[in-house]
PDB file of all heavy atoms in Angstrom:
ATOM      1  N   PHE A   1      98.843 122.989  39.597  1.00 98.00           N
ATOM      2  CA  PHE A   1     100.141 123.497  39.451  1.00 98.00           C
ATOM      3  C   PHE A   1     100.939 122.663  38.415  1.00 98.00           C
ATOM      4  O   PHE A   1     101.682 123.212  37.568  1.00 98.00           O
ATOM      5  CB  PHE A   1     100.836 123.535  40.731  1.00 98.00           C
ATOM      6  CG  PHE A   1     102.138 124.344  40.715  1.00 98.00           C
ATOM      7  CD1 PHE A   1     102.172 125.798  40.950  1.00 98.00           C
ATOM      8  CD2 PHE A   1     103.303 123.763  40.327  1.00 98.00           C
ATOM      9  CE1 PHE A   1     103.360 126.479  40.876  1.00 98.00           C
ATOM     10  CE2 PHE A   1     104.534 124.410  40.337  1.00 98.00           C
ATOM     11  CZ  PHE A   1     104.557 125.804  40.492  1.00 98.00           C
ATOM     12  N   ALA A   2     100.880 121.388  38.616  1.00 98.00           N
ATOM     13  CA  ALA A   2     101.676 120.491  37.790  1.00 98.00           C
ATOM     14  C   ALA A   2     101.251 120.543  36.288  1.00 98.00           C
ATOM     15  O   ALA A   2     102.130 120.635  35.319  1.00 98.00           O
ATOM     16  CB  ALA A   2     101.490 119.025  38.247  1.00 98.00           C
ATOM     17  N   GLU A   3      99.972 120.660  36.045  1.00 98.00           N
ATOM     18  CA  GLU A   3      99.388 120.787  34.748  1.00 98.00           C
ATOM     19  C   GLU A   3      99.691 122.101  34.074  1.00 98.00           C
ATOM     20  O   GLU A   3      99.955 122.215  32.878  1.00 98.00           O
ATOM     21  CB  GLU A   3      97.930 120.473  34.631  1.00 98.00           C
ATOM     22  CG  GLU A   3      97.587 119.088  34.995  1.00 98.00           C
ATOM     23  CD  GLU A   3      96.082 118.788  34.983  1.00 98.00           C
ATOM     24  OE1 GLU A   3      95.358 119.821  35.225  1.00 98.00           O
ATOM     25  OE2 GLU A   3      95.646 117.609  34.710  1.00 98.00           O
ATOM     26  N   LYS A   4      99.644 123.244  34.876  1.00 98.00           N
ATOM     27  CA  LYS A   4      99.796 124.603  34.320  1.00 98.00           C
ATOM     28  C   LYS A   4     101.216 125.068  34.302  1.00 98.00           C
ATOM     29  O   LYS A   4     101.623 125.835  33.334  1.00 98.00           O
ATOM     30  CB  LYS A   4      98.937 125.503  35.052  1.00 98.00           C
ATOM     31  CG  LYS A   4      97.367 125.249  35.162  1.00 98.00           C
ATOM     32  CD  LYS A   4      96.731 125.328  33.784  1.00 98.00           C
ATOM     33  CE  LYS A   4      95.267 125.011  33.809  1.00 98.00           C
ATOM     34  NZ  LYS A   4      94.612 125.047  32.456  1.00 98.00           N
ATOM     35  N   GLU A   5     101.946 124.776  35.332  1.00 98.00           N
ATOM     36  CA  GLU A   5     103.334 125.328  35.515  1.00 98.00           C
ATOM     37  C   GLU A   5     104.414 124.445  35.246  1.00 98.00           C
ATOM     38  O   GLU A   5     105.484 124.904  34.850  1.00 98.00           O
ATOM     39  CB  GLU A   5     103.382 125.897  36.972  1.00 98.00           C
ATOM     40  CG  GLU A   5     102.404 126.868  37.418  1.00 98.00           C
ATOM     41  CD  GLU A   5     102.609 128.225  36.644  1.00 98.00           C
ATOM     42  OE1 GLU A   5     103.674 128.495  36.099  1.00 98.00           O
ATOM     43  OE2 GLU A   5     101.660 129.092  36.719  1.00 98.00           O
ATOM     44  N   ILE A   6     104.221 123.141  35.459  1.00 98.00           N
ATOM     45  CA  ILE A   6     105.382 122.166  35.379  1.00 98.00           C
ATOM     46  C   ILE A   6     105.407 121.487  33.968  1.00 98.00           C
ATOM     47  O   ILE A   6     106.401 121.520  33.277  1.00 98.00           O
ATOM     48  CB  ILE A   6     105.350 121.184  36.447  1.00 98.00           C
ATOM     49  CG1 ILE A   6     105.400 121.871  37.820  1.00 98.00           C
ATOM     50  CG2 ILE A   6     106.594 120.244  36.353  1.00 98.00           C
ATOM     51  CD1 ILE A   6     105.470 120.937  39.109  1.00 98.00           C
ATOM     52  N   ALA A   7     104.356 120.787  33.762  1.00 98.00           N
ATOM     53  CA  ALA A   7     104.284 119.834  32.530  1.00 98.00           C
ATOM     54  C   ALA A   7     104.574 120.558  31.213  1.00 98.00           C
ATOM     55  O   ALA A   7     105.348 120.054  30.455  1.00 98.00           O
ATOM     56  CB  ALA A   7     102.963 119.058  32.509  1.00 98.00           C
ATOM     57  N   PRO A   8     104.088 121.714  31.013  1.00 98.00           N
ATOM     58  CA  PRO A   8     104.317 122.450  29.713  1.00 98.00           C
ATOM     59  C   PRO A   8     105.699 122.753  29.485  1.00 98.00           C
ATOM     60  O   PRO A   8     106.125 122.870  28.294  1.00 98.00           O
ATOM     61  CB  PRO A   8     103.444 123.746  29.862  1.00 98.00           C
ATOM     62  CG  PRO A   8     102.367 123.439  30.804  1.00 98.00           C
ATOM     63  CD  PRO A   8     103.086 122.517  31.913  1.00 98.00           C
ATOM     64  N   VAL A   9     106.596 122.921  30.475  1.00 98.00           N
ATOM     65  CA  VAL A   9     107.983 123.286  30.322  1.00 98.00           C
ATOM     66  C   VAL A   9     108.981 122.203  30.622  1.00 98.00           C
ATOM     67  O   VAL A   9     110.185 122.404  30.505  1.00 98.00           O
ATOM     68  CB  VAL A   9     108.297 124.590  30.939  1.00 98.00           C
ATOM     69  CG1 VAL A   9     107.407 125.788  30.368  1.00 98.00           C
ATOM     70  CG2 VAL A   9     108.098 124.422  32.542  1.00 98.00           C
ATOM     71  N   ALA A  10     108.491 121.119  31.214  1.00 98.00           N
ATOM     72  CA  ALA A  10     109.319 120.051  31.787  1.00 98.00           C
ATOM     73  C   ALA A  10     110.252 119.507  30.733  1.00 98.00           C
ATOM     74  O   ALA A  10     111.408 119.297  30.887  1.00 98.00           O
ATOM     75  CB  ALA A  10     108.532 118.979  32.373  1.00 98.00           C
ATOM     76  N   GLY A  11     109.728 119.395  29.464  1.00 97.00           N
ATOM     77  CA  GLY A  11     110.583 118.839  28.389  1.00 97.00           C
ATOM     78  C   GLY A  11     111.685 119.755  28.052  1.00 97.00           C
ATOM     79  O   GLY A  11     112.762 119.259  27.657  1.00 97.00           O
ATOM     80  N   GLN A  12     111.393 121.114  28.052  1.00 97.00           N
ATOM     81  CA  GLN A  12     112.469 122.025  27.705  1.00 97.00           C
ATOM     82  C   GLN A  12     113.638 122.091  28.725  1.00 97.00           C
ATOM     83  O   GLN A  12     114.777 121.940  28.354  1.00 97.00           O
ATOM     84  CB  GLN A  12     111.902 123.470  27.617  1.00 97.00           C
ATOM     85  CG  GLN A  12     110.769 123.572  26.619  1.00 97.00           C
ATOM     86  CD  GLN A  12     109.987 124.887  26.668  1.00 97.00           C
ATOM     87  OE1 GLN A  12     110.582 125.862  27.244  1.00 97.00           O
ATOM     88  NE2 GLN A  12     108.707 124.914  26.376  1.00 97.00           N
ATOM     89  N   TYR A  13     113.256 121.913  30.048  1.00 98.00           N
ATOM     90  CA  TYR A  13     114.293 121.801  31.074  1.00 98.00           C
ATOM     91  C   TYR A  13     115.042 120.561  30.958  1.00 98.00           C
ATOM     92  O   TYR A  13     116.218 120.499  31.162  1.00 98.00           O
ATOM     93  CB  TYR A  13     113.637 121.986  32.399  1.00 98.00           C
ATOM     94  CG  TYR A  13     113.298 123.357  32.896  1.00 98.00           C
ATOM     95  CD1 TYR A  13     111.955 123.732  32.988  1.00 98.00           C
ATOM     96  CD2 TYR A  13     114.219 124.271  33.228  1.00 98.00           C
ATOM     97  CE1 TYR A  13     111.600 125.034  33.407  1.00 98.00           C
ATOM     98  CE2 TYR A  13     113.942 125.593  33.644  1.00 98.00           C
ATOM     99  CZ  TYR A  13     112.549 125.966  33.756  1.00 98.00           C
ATOM    100  OH  TYR A  13     112.280 127.265  34.157  1.00 98.00           O
ATOM    101  N   ASP A  14     114.231 119.454  30.562  1.00 98.00           N
ATOM    102  CA  ASP A  14     115.007 118.221  30.436  1.00 98.00           C
ATOM    103  C   ASP A  14     116.010 118.243  29.249  1.00 98.00           C
ATOM    104  O   ASP A  14     117.053 117.735  29.443  1.00 98.00           O
ATOM    105  CB  ASP A  14     113.893 117.072  30.207  1.00 98.00           C
ATOM    106  CG  ASP A  14     114.482 115.792  29.906  1.00 98.00           C
ATOM    107  OD1 ASP A  14     114.854 115.087  30.808  1.00 98.00           O
ATOM    108  OD2 ASP A  14     114.590 115.423  28.632  1.00 98.00           O
ATOM    109  N   GLU A  15     115.569 118.837  28.174  1.00 97.00           N
ATOM    110  CA  GLU A  15     116.351 118.881  27.047  1.00 97.00           C
ATOM    111  C   GLU A  15     117.696 119.671  27.341  1.00 97.00           C
ATOM    112  O   GLU A  15     118.803 119.292  26.891  1.00 97.00           O
ATOM    113  CB  GLU A  15     115.727 119.418  25.930  1.00 97.00           C
ATOM    114  CG  GLU A  15     116.399 119.413  24.522  1.00 97.00           C
ATOM    115  CD  GLU A  15     116.398 118.087  23.821  1.00 97.00           C
ATOM    116  OE1 GLU A  15     115.562 117.213  24.283  1.00 97.00           O
ATOM    117  OE2 GLU A  15     117.203 117.821  23.010  1.00 97.00           O
ATOM    118  N   LYS A  16     117.514 120.755  28.093  1.00 97.00           N
ATOM    119  CA  LYS A  16     118.656 121.582  28.377  1.00 97.00           C
ATOM    120  C   LYS A  16     119.520 121.113  29.642  1.00 97.00           C
ATOM    121  O   LYS A  16     120.520 121.609  29.882  1.00 97.00           O
ATOM    122  CB  LYS A  16     118.168 123.062  28.669  1.00 97.00           C
ATOM    123  CG  LYS A  16     117.568 123.705  27.523  1.00 97.00           C
ATOM    124  CD  LYS A  16     116.890 125.073  27.954  1.00 97.00           C
ATOM    125  CE  LYS A  16     116.202 125.721  26.843  1.00 97.00           C
ATOM    126  NZ  LYS A  16     115.610 127.041  27.266  1.00 97.00           N
ATOM    127  N   ASP A  17     118.947 120.089  30.237  1.00 97.00           N
ATOM    128  CA  ASP A  17     119.527 119.567  31.495  1.00 97.00           C
ATOM    129  C   ASP A  17     119.796 120.798  32.515  1.00 97.00           C
ATOM    130  O   ASP A  17     120.820 120.957  33.130  1.00 97.00           O
ATOM    131  CB  ASP A  17     120.975 118.952  31.201  1.00 97.00           C
ATOM    132  CG  ASP A  17     121.551 118.173  32.332  1.00 97.00           C
ATOM    133  OD1 ASP A  17     120.701 117.733  33.272  1.00 97.00           O
ATOM    134  OD2 ASP A  17     122.681 117.923  32.386  1.00 97.00           O
ATOM    135  N   GLU A  18     118.661 121.421  32.736  1.00 98.00           N
ATOM    136  CA  GLU A  18     118.656 122.715  33.458  1.00 98.00           C
ATOM    137  C   GLU A  18     117.808 122.583  34.752  1.00 98.00           C
ATOM    138  O   GLU A  18     116.695 122.017  34.653  1.00 98.00           O
ATOM    139  CB  GLU A  18     118.117 123.873  32.560  1.00 98.00           C
ATOM    140  CG  GLU A  18     118.183 125.155  33.326  1.00 98.00           C
ATOM    141  CD  GLU A  18     117.652 126.245  32.316  1.00 98.00           C
ATOM    142  OE1 GLU A  18     117.621 126.144  31.010  1.00 98.00           O
ATOM    143  OE2 GLU A  18     117.169 127.362  32.758  1.00 98.00           O
ATOM    144  N   PHE A  19     118.299 123.027  35.817  1.00 98.00           N
ATOM    145  CA  PHE A  19     117.471 123.158  37.097  1.00 98.00           C
ATOM    146  C   PHE A  19     116.340 124.181  36.957  1.00 98.00           C
ATOM    147  O   PHE A  19     116.679 125.330  36.573  1.00 98.00           O
ATOM    148  CB  PHE A  19     118.388 123.486  38.266  1.00 98.00           C
ATOM    149  CG  PHE A  19     117.681 123.331  39.555  1.00 98.00           C
ATOM    150  CD1 PHE A  19     117.326 122.163  40.221  1.00 98.00           C
ATOM    151  CD2 PHE A  19     117.277 124.608  40.293  1.00 98.00           C
ATOM    152  CE1 PHE A  19     116.714 122.143  41.433  1.00 98.00           C
ATOM    153  CE2 PHE A  19     116.626 124.544  41.514  1.00 98.00           C
ATOM    154  CZ  PHE A  19     116.374 123.316  42.091  1.00 98.00           C
ATOM    155  N   PRO A  20     115.159 123.784  37.293  1.00 98.00           N
ATOM    156  CA  PRO A  20     113.965 124.703  37.043  1.00 98.00           C
ATOM    157  C   PRO A  20     113.813 125.732  38.198  1.00 98.00           C
ATOM    158  O   PRO A  20     112.856 125.643  38.948  1.00 98.00           O
ATOM    159  CB  PRO A  20     112.764 123.741  36.927  1.00 98.00           C
ATOM    160  CG  PRO A  20     113.183 122.651  37.817  1.00 98.00           C
ATOM    161  CD  PRO A  20     114.636 122.545  37.765  1.00 98.00           C
ATOM    162  N   THR A  21     114.729 126.615  38.312  1.00 98.00           N
ATOM    163  CA  THR A  21     114.674 127.569  39.406  1.00 98.00           C
ATOM    164  C   THR A  21     113.347 128.352  39.554  1.00 98.00           C
ATOM    165  O   THR A  21     112.883 128.576  40.581  1.00 98.00           O
ATOM    166  CB  THR A  21     115.837 128.684  39.208  1.00 98.00           C
ATOM    167  OG1 THR A  21     117.044 127.941  39.148  1.00 98.00           O
ATOM    168  CG2 THR A  21     115.864 129.533  40.414  1.00 98.00           C
ATOM    169  N   GLU A  22     112.772 128.815  38.386  1.00 98.00           N
ATOM    170  CA  GLU A  22     111.566 129.472  38.430  1.00 98.00           C
ATOM    171  C   GLU A  22     110.419 128.619  38.908  1.00 98.00           C
ATOM    172  O   GLU A  22     109.591 129.108  39.665  1.00 98.00           O
ATOM    173  CB  GLU A  22     111.219 130.030  36.984  1.00 98.00           C
ATOM    174  CG  GLU A  22     109.981 130.876  36.861  1.00 98.00           C
ATOM    175  CD  GLU A  22     110.120 132.222  37.704  1.00 98.00           C
ATOM    176  OE1 GLU A  22     111.273 132.559  38.132  1.00 98.00           O
ATOM    177  OE2 GLU A  22     109.045 132.821  37.960  1.00 98.00           O
ATOM    178  N   ILE A  23     110.355 127.387  38.595  1.00 98.00           N
ATOM    179  CA  ILE A  23     109.336 126.511  39.082  1.00 98.00           C
ATOM    180  C   ILE A  23     109.493 126.302  40.511  1.00 98.00           C
ATOM    181  O   ILE A  23     108.406 126.320  41.351  1.00 98.00           O
ATOM    182  CB  ILE A  23     109.365 125.118  38.378  1.00 98.00           C
ATOM    183  CG1 ILE A  23     108.958 125.227  36.864  1.00 98.00           C
ATOM    184  CG2 ILE A  23     108.521 124.080  39.036  1.00 98.00           C
ATOM    185  CD1 ILE A  23     109.110 123.976  36.026  1.00 98.00           C
ATOM    186  N   ILE A  24     110.655 126.124  41.036  1.00 98.00           N
ATOM    187  CA  ILE A  24     110.857 126.023  42.469  1.00 98.00           C
ATOM    188  C   ILE A  24     110.384 127.241  43.224  1.00 98.00           C
ATOM    189  O   ILE A  24     109.756 127.203  44.257  1.00 98.00           O
ATOM    190  CB  ILE A  24     112.347 125.676  42.793  1.00 98.00           C
ATOM    191  CG1 ILE A  24     112.810 124.381  42.132  1.00 98.00           C
ATOM    192  CG2 ILE A  24     112.498 125.573  44.299  1.00 98.00           C
ATOM    193  CD1 ILE A  24     111.882 123.155  42.540  1.00 98.00           C
ATOM    194  N   ARG A  25     110.670 128.399  42.699  1.00 98.00           N
ATOM    195  CA  ARG A  25     110.207 129.691  43.267  1.00 98.00           C
ATOM    196  C   ARG A  25     108.846 129.769  43.386  1.00 98.00           C
ATOM    197  O   ARG A  25     108.122 130.110  44.411  1.00 98.00           O
ATOM    198  CB  ARG A  25     110.804 130.863  42.523  1.00 98.00           C
ATOM    199  CG  ARG A  25     110.445 132.122  43.121  1.00 98.00           C
ATOM    200  CD  ARG A  25     110.877 133.354  42.217  1.00 98.00           C
ATOM    201  NE  ARG A  25     110.012 133.358  41.010  1.00 98.00           N
ATOM    202  CZ  ARG A  25     108.756 133.794  40.973  1.00 98.00           C
ATOM    203  NH1 ARG A  25     108.137 134.268  42.041  1.00 98.00           N
ATOM    204  NH2 ARG A  25     108.096 133.843  39.766  1.00 98.00           N
ATOM    205  N   LYS A  26     108.058 129.335  42.270  1.00 98.00           N
ATOM    206  CA  LYS A  26     106.539 129.376  42.313  1.00 98.00           C
ATOM    207  C   LYS A  26     105.969 128.304  43.232  1.00 98.00           C
ATOM    208  O   LYS A  26     104.969 128.551  43.862  1.00 98.00           O
ATOM    209  CB  LYS A  26     106.073 129.085  40.852  1.00 98.00           C
ATOM    210  CG  LYS A  26     106.370 130.208  39.893  1.00 98.00           C
ATOM    211  CD  LYS A  26     105.844 129.921  38.468  1.00 98.00           C
ATOM    212  CE  LYS A  26     106.193 131.043  37.568  1.00 98.00           C
ATOM    213  NZ  LYS A  26     105.600 130.799  36.226  1.00 98.00           N
ATOM    214  N   LEU A  27     106.634 127.119  43.370  1.00 98.00           N
ATOM    215  CA  LEU A  27     106.159 126.121  44.308  1.00 98.00           C
ATOM    216  C   LEU A  27     106.222 126.711  45.694  1.00 98.00           C
ATOM    217  O   LEU A  27     105.258 126.401  46.470  1.00 98.00           O
ATOM    218  CB  LEU A  27     107.131 124.854  44.209  1.00 98.00           C
ATOM    219  CG  LEU A  27     106.801 123.915  43.119  1.00 98.00           C
ATOM    220  CD1 LEU A  27     107.962 122.892  42.962  1.00 98.00           C
ATOM    221  CD2 LEU A  27     105.525 123.219  43.390  1.00 98.00           C
ATOM    222  N   HIS A  28     107.316 127.439  46.015  1.00 98.00           N
ATOM    223  CA  HIS A  28     107.332 127.989  47.391  1.00 98.00           C
ATOM    224  C   HIS A  28     106.250 129.057  47.556  1.00 98.00           C
ATOM    225  O   HIS A  28     105.651 129.172  48.701  1.00 98.00           O
ATOM    226  CB  HIS A  28     108.658 128.748  47.523  1.00 98.00           C
ATOM    227  CG  HIS A  28     108.854 129.274  48.945  1.00 98.00           C
ATOM    228  ND1 HIS A  28     108.776 128.566  50.005  1.00 98.00           N
ATOM    229  CD2 HIS A  28     109.120 130.559  49.353  1.00 98.00           C
ATOM    230  CE1 HIS A  28     108.997 129.300  51.150  1.00 98.00           C
ATOM    231  NE2 HIS A  28     109.136 130.538  50.717  1.00 98.00           N
ATOM    232  N   GLU A  29     105.913 129.830  46.531  1.00 97.00           N
ATOM    233  CA  GLU A  29     104.867 130.862  46.621  1.00 97.00           C
ATOM    234  C   GLU A  29     103.478 130.262  46.863  1.00 97.00           C
ATOM    235  O   GLU A  29     102.740 130.876  47.663  1.00 97.00           O
ATOM    236  CB  GLU A  29     104.836 131.696  45.331  1.00 97.00           C
ATOM    237  CG  GLU A  29     106.019 132.644  45.126  1.00 97.00           C
ATOM    238  CD  GLU A  29     105.826 133.446  43.857  1.00 97.00           C
ATOM    239  OE1 GLU A  29     104.984 133.073  42.947  1.00 97.00           O
ATOM    240  OE2 GLU A  29     106.720 134.361  43.556  1.00 97.00           O
ATOM    241  N   VAL A  30     103.250 129.150  46.318  1.00 97.00           N
ATOM    242  CA  VAL A  30     101.885 128.534  46.481  1.00 97.00           C
ATOM    243  C   VAL A  30     101.887 127.522  47.715  1.00 97.00           C
ATOM    244  O   VAL A  30     100.871 126.896  47.949  1.00 97.00           O
ATOM    245  CB  VAL A  30     101.401 127.831  45.241  1.00 97.00           C
ATOM    246  CG1 VAL A  30     101.187 128.824  44.145  1.00 97.00           C
ATOM    247  CG2 VAL A  30     102.297 126.639  44.860  1.00 97.00           C
ATOM    248  N   GLY A  31     102.976 127.478  48.411  1.00 96.00           N
ATOM    249  CA  GLY A  31     103.056 126.571  49.601  1.00 96.00           C
ATOM    250  C   GLY A  31     103.244 125.163  49.407  1.00 96.00           C
ATOM    251  O   GLY A  31     102.939 124.241  50.202  1.00 96.00           O
ATOM    252  N   LEU A  32     103.840 124.836  48.273  1.00 97.00           N
ATOM    253  CA  LEU A  32     104.053 123.354  47.926  1.00 97.00           C
ATOM    254  C   LEU A  32     105.479 122.924  48.078  1.00 97.00           C
ATOM    255  O   LEU A  32     105.885 121.740  47.859  1.00 97.00           O
ATOM    256  CB  LEU A  32     103.658 123.030  46.479  1.00 97.00           C
ATOM    257  CG  LEU A  32     102.066 123.156  46.247  1.00 97.00           C
ATOM    258  CD1 LEU A  32     101.732 122.923  44.749  1.00 97.00           C
ATOM    259  CD2 LEU A  32     101.287 122.251  47.034  1.00 97.00           C
ATOM    260  N   LEU A  33     106.375 123.891  48.475  1.00 97.00           N
ATOM    261  CA  LEU A  33     107.736 123.502  48.582  1.00 97.00           C
ATOM    262  C   LEU A  33     108.132 123.075  50.103  1.00 97.00           C
ATOM    263  O   LEU A  33     109.140 122.355  50.284  1.00 97.00           O
ATOM    264  CB  LEU A  33     108.664 124.740  48.285  1.00 97.00           C
ATOM    265  CG  LEU A  33     110.111 124.462  48.028  1.00 97.00           C
ATOM    266  CD1 LEU A  33     110.368 123.402  46.984  1.00 97.00           C
ATOM    267  CD2 LEU A  33     110.878 125.720  47.742  1.00 97.00           C
ATOM    268  N   THR A  34     107.263 123.441  51.067  1.00 97.00           N
ATOM    269  CA  THR A  34     107.550 123.109  52.390  1.00 97.00           C
ATOM    270  C   THR A  34     106.570 122.107  53.031  1.00 97.00           C
ATOM    271  O   THR A  34     106.197 122.189  54.160  1.00 97.00           O
ATOM    272  CB  THR A  34     107.543 124.451  53.260  1.00 97.00           C
ATOM    273  OG1 THR A  34     106.280 125.028  53.071  1.00 97.00           O
ATOM    274  CG2 THR A  34     108.707 125.346  52.900  1.00 97.00           C
ATOM    275  N   ILE A  35     106.217 121.135  52.220  1.00 96.00           N
ATOM    276  CA  ILE A  35     105.200 120.233  52.652  1.00 96.00           C
ATOM    277  C   ILE A  35     105.624 119.362  53.754  1.00 96.00           C
ATOM    278  O   ILE A  35     104.784 118.760  54.505  1.00 96.00           O
ATOM    279  CB  ILE A  35     104.705 119.294  51.446  1.00 96.00           C
ATOM    280  CG1 ILE A  35     105.945 118.470  50.948  1.00 96.00           C
ATOM    281  CG2 ILE A  35     104.161 120.115  50.280  1.00 96.00           C
ATOM    282  CD1 ILE A  35     105.497 117.428  49.799  1.00 96.00           C
ATOM    283  N   GLY A  36     106.887 119.260  54.089  1.00 96.00           N
ATOM    284  CA  GLY A  36     107.387 118.382  55.247  1.00 96.00           C
ATOM    285  C   GLY A  36     107.604 119.155  56.437  1.00 96.00           C
ATOM    286  O   GLY A  36     107.972 118.556  57.518  1.00 96.00           O
ATOM    287  N   VAL A  37     107.386 120.477  56.530  1.00 98.00           N
ATOM    288  CA  VAL A  37     107.695 121.242  57.705  1.00 98.00           C
ATOM    289  C   VAL A  37     106.554 121.150  58.716  1.00 98.00           C
ATOM    290  O   VAL A  37     105.393 121.568  58.312  1.00 98.00           O
ATOM    291  CB  VAL A  37     108.019 122.716  57.393  1.00 98.00           C
ATOM    292  CG1 VAL A  37     108.329 123.525  58.648  1.00 98.00           C
ATOM    293  CG2 VAL A  37     109.089 122.812  56.367  1.00 98.00           C
ATOM    294  N   PRO A  38     106.738 120.759  60.003  1.00 97.00           N
ATOM    295  CA  PRO A  38     105.656 120.713  60.911  1.00 97.00           C
ATOM    296  C   PRO A  38     105.163 122.122  61.257  1.00 97.00           C
ATOM    297  O   PRO A  38     105.777 123.091  61.160  1.00 97.00           O
ATOM    298  CB  PRO A  38     106.327 120.062  62.123  1.00 97.00           C
ATOM    299  CG  PRO A  38     107.600 119.404  61.612  1.00 97.00           C
ATOM    300  CD  PRO A  38     108.045 120.225  60.496  1.00 97.00           C
ATOM    301  N   GLU A  39     103.827 122.121  61.709  1.00 97.00           N
ATOM    302  CA  GLU A  39     103.136 123.316  62.033  1.00 97.00           C
ATOM    303  C   GLU A  39     103.953 124.120  63.122  1.00 97.00           C
ATOM    304  O   GLU A  39     103.951 125.349  62.984  1.00 97.00           O
ATOM    305  CB  GLU A  39     101.814 123.131  62.410  1.00 97.00           C
ATOM    306  CG  GLU A  39     100.895 124.249  62.554  1.00 97.00           C
ATOM    307  CD  GLU A  39      99.464 123.871  62.826  1.00 97.00           C
ATOM    308  OE1 GLU A  39      99.168 122.812  63.111  1.00 97.00           O
ATOM    309  OE2 GLU A  39      98.612 124.857  62.778  1.00 97.00           O
ATOM    310  N   GLU A  40     104.447 123.441  64.056  1.00 97.00           N
ATOM    311  CA  GLU A  40     105.144 124.123  65.238  1.00 97.00           C
ATOM    312  C   GLU A  40     106.441 124.827  64.797  1.00 97.00           C
ATOM    313  O   GLU A  40     106.905 125.592  65.594  1.00 97.00           O
ATOM    314  CB  GLU A  40     105.363 123.250  66.423  1.00 97.00           C
ATOM    315  CG  GLU A  40     106.257 122.016  66.051  1.00 97.00           C
ATOM    316  CD  GLU A  40     105.385 120.760  65.679  1.00 97.00           C
ATOM    317  OE1 GLU A  40     104.382 120.888  65.022  1.00 97.00           O
ATOM    318  OE2 GLU A  40     105.778 119.672  66.098  1.00 97.00           O
ATOM    319  N   TYR A  41     106.916 124.501  63.643  1.00 98.00           N
ATOM    320  CA  TYR A  41     108.099 125.105  63.140  1.00 98.00           C
ATOM    321  C   TYR A  41     107.799 125.973  61.884  1.00 98.00           C
ATOM    322  O   TYR A  41     108.688 126.293  61.038  1.00 98.00           O
ATOM    323  CB  TYR A  41     109.140 124.058  62.797  1.00 98.00           C
ATOM    324  CG  TYR A  41     109.568 123.400  64.068  1.00 98.00           C
ATOM    325  CD1 TYR A  41     109.139 122.005  64.256  1.00 98.00           C
ATOM    326  CD2 TYR A  41     110.407 123.977  65.001  1.00 98.00           C
ATOM    327  CE1 TYR A  41     109.503 121.409  65.498  1.00 98.00           C
ATOM    328  CE2 TYR A  41     110.785 123.279  66.173  1.00 98.00           C
ATOM    329  CZ  TYR A  41     110.291 121.997  66.458  1.00 98.00           C
ATOM    330  OH  TYR A  41     110.624 121.365  67.543  1.00 98.00           O
ATOM    331  N   GLY A  42     106.598 126.484  61.782  1.00 97.00           N
ATOM    332  CA  GLY A  42     106.232 127.463  60.762  1.00 97.00           C
ATOM    333  C   GLY A  42     105.761 126.902  59.499  1.00 97.00           C
ATOM    334  O   GLY A  42     105.594 127.569  58.501  1.00 97.00           O
ATOM    335  N   GLY A  43     105.592 125.570  59.376  1.00 97.00           N
ATOM    336  CA  GLY A  43     105.132 124.880  58.155  1.00 97.00           C
ATOM    337  C   GLY A  43     103.659 124.587  58.141  1.00 97.00           C
ATOM    338  O   GLY A  43     102.913 124.956  59.100  1.00 97.00           O
TER     339      GLY A  43
END
């Protein structure tokens, strides 16, 4: 995910000083946004 979705556009977001909303949405889709949620609470 980092190589395909983040690294290629990270420089553009950095240059614009922009929050990567689309990347965060995709991270949630693939299950990488809730890595700290315990199993008993749906994580």
